[in-house]
């Protein structure tokens, strides 16, 4: 059995300004194959979405771990991107431009 990281994206809700809030979530799955990992991860993601009242994006990405046991500093997820942007601007575009800031009552 191998370990896989599985990423799903959910529509978490809408804030008072009408902005959508999304959750990018990675879970660990133990499976014999990518096919089984996707199946288990999809089931887990659907249950998570249903139990929280979230919409789930249909595309799910799985990443096969290197085979070591889950230990301190174990890499759970790694994904490569390409862009003409510098590291600073890529980070800004992908993460900071859409950072969720909880509303204060």
């Amino acid at each position: 059995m191998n370990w896989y990281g599985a990423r799903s994206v959910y529509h978490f809700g809408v804030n008072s300004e009408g902005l959508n809030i999304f959750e990018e979530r990675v879970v660990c799955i133990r499976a014999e194959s990518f096919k089984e990992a996707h199946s288990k991860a999809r089931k887990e993601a659907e249950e998570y979405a249903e139990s929280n009242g979230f919409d789930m994006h249909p595309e799910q990405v799985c990443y096969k771990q290197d085979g070591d046991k889950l230990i301190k500093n174990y890499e759970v997820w790694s994904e490569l991107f390409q862009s003409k942007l510098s590291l600073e601007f890529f980070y800004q575009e992908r993460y900071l431009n859409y950072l969720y800031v909880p509303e204060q009552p």
Side-chain angles (χ1 to χ4, degrees):
M1 296 271 274
N2 295 300
W3 283 102
Y4 295 82
R7 183 195 70 199
S8 298
V9 178
Y10 306 87
H11 182 250
F12 187 87
V14 179
N15 72 11
S16 64
E17 296 176 9
L19 297 174
N20 288 313
I21 303 164
F22 301 101
E23 178 183 7
E24 180 181 55
R25 184 168 173 264
V26 178
V27 297
C28 291
I29 302 292
R30 191 160 169 98
E32 292 285 344
S33 65
F34 272 108
K35 183 177 181 179
E36 182 183 4
H38 272 288
S39 177
K40 286 181 172 183
R42 177 159 300 284
K43 181 179 179 192
E44 189 282 333
E46 288 170 348
E47 290 172 358
Y48 178 78
E50 183 178 333
S51 69
N52 289 288
F54 299 160
D55 291 326
M56 183 182 92
H57 190 277
E59 182 179 11
Q60 185 175 67
V61 181
C62 285
Y63 168 81
K64 184 177 178 183
Q65 304 302 127
D66 64 12
D68 291 338
K69 292 182 180 180
L70 296 177
I71 56 172
K72 182 179 178 183
N73 298 328
Y74 188 81
E75 181 180 273
V76 176
W77 186 261
S78 176
E79 186 170 358
L80 300 176
F81 299 91
Q82 62 184 24
S83 172
K84 292 182 180 180
L85 299 174
S86 68
L87 177 59
E88 180 181 342
F89 285 109
F90 174 79
Y91 189 88
Q92 174 76 34
E93 179 64 28
R94 177 143 172 94
Y95 296 100
L96 301 181
N97 283 351
Y98 307 104
L99 189 63
Y100 172 62
V101 179
E103 298 180 69
Q104 300 299 317

